[in-house]
Amino acid sequence: MSKPYNVAVLVGSLRKDSINRKLALALAELAPPELKLEIVEIGDLPLYNEDTDGDNAPAAYGPFRSKLKAADAVLFVTPEYNRSIPGAMKNAIDVGSRPYGQSGFSGKPGAVLSASPGAIGGFGANHHLRQCLVFLDVHVLQQPEAYLGGAGSFFDTDGALSDGIRPFLQKFIDAFAQWVARHAG
Ligand SMILES: Cc1cc2nc3c(=O)[nH]c(=O)nc-3n(C[C@H](O)[C@H](O)[C@H](O)COP(=O)(O)O)c2cc1C
């Protein structure tokens, strides 16, 4: 690992007290110095409509697409909604993938972490997201898989990360750092 690699982090929950946002911030702190994680906000992106893209694209699309294009890698941290990808996350993927031929995702290394207070840990969302990433030519970290169940206990009332989940997050972000170094252009 040598140069600092910039990682665009997309968080699939828009809620202020989101567990997934807290996990994204925890991963940013645990990341080795070669990996710089920055959350790229997706909550103000209007729903994708091909009729209003190109010259008429909504103003919020420009900065989002620029940040995505400038990133060396992408990390998705997401809850599961109705056994699939939250709409906000899917919309961000659609916006970032267009206009045709100008995707901000192509060829980049990536990883997916899903978390839920439920037992299955967002497995459905995680793998639906992976299906999109095949088409987008994102090279996705395979191991360790990250379906984090029981996420309601990951942070105490002061927002401190529990010791129970910390070692896994460290392992995950270290593996991702190695993956990015190997696959970033
Ligand atoms: C519309 C909606 C659908 C949901 N569907 C699921 C689901 O399919 N599986 C699951 O484990 N949790 C589901 N949940 C519960 C979320 O996992 C829980 O609200 C979680 O805390 C959301 O992540 P966040 O804390 O990052 O916002 C759903 C929540 C909402 C609002």
Side-chain angles (χ1 to χ4, degrees), residues 146-164:
Y147 325 114
L148 307 187
S153 63
F154 288 171
F155 297 91
D156 68 16
T157 46
D158 296 326
L161 182 66
S162 83
D163 289 339

Side-chain angles (χ1 to χ4, degrees), residues 44-168:
D44 62 349
L45 298 174
L47 284 179
Y48 187 80
N49 177 344
E50 215 173 340
D51 288 341
T52 56
D53 203 358
D55 292 342
N56 301 317
Y61 285 11
F64 173 75
R65 286 170 167 164
S66 298
K67 285 179 190 167
L68 205 55
K69 283 210 173 109
D72 299 301
V74 282
L75 172 61
F76 302 84
V77 182
T78 188
E80 173 177 87
Y81 280 2
N82 298 307
R83 292 281 180 264
S84 189
I85 309 165
M89 178 66 98
K90 183 60 167 61
N91 186 53
I93 289 170
D94 295 340
V95 171
S97 71
R98 293 278 156 158
Y100 183 77
Q102 298 174 45
S103 169
F105 295 106
S106 295
K108 291 184 179 169
V112 181
L113 181 147
S114 57
S116 167
I120 304 173
F123 177 88
N126 193 306
H127 276 264
H128 283 178
L129 189 40
R130 284 169 177 270
Q131 180 173 322
C132 298
L133 299 180
V134 173
F135 183 68
L136 294 173
D137 195 26
V138 172
H139 305 289
V140 186
L141 177 73
Q142 304 301 334
Q143 294 292 337
E145 295 165 276
Y147 325 114
L148 307 187
S153 63
F154 288 171
F155 297 91
D156 68 16
T157 46
D158 296 326
L161 182 66
S162 83
D163 289 339
I165 195 62
R166 183 189 303 273
F168 177 80

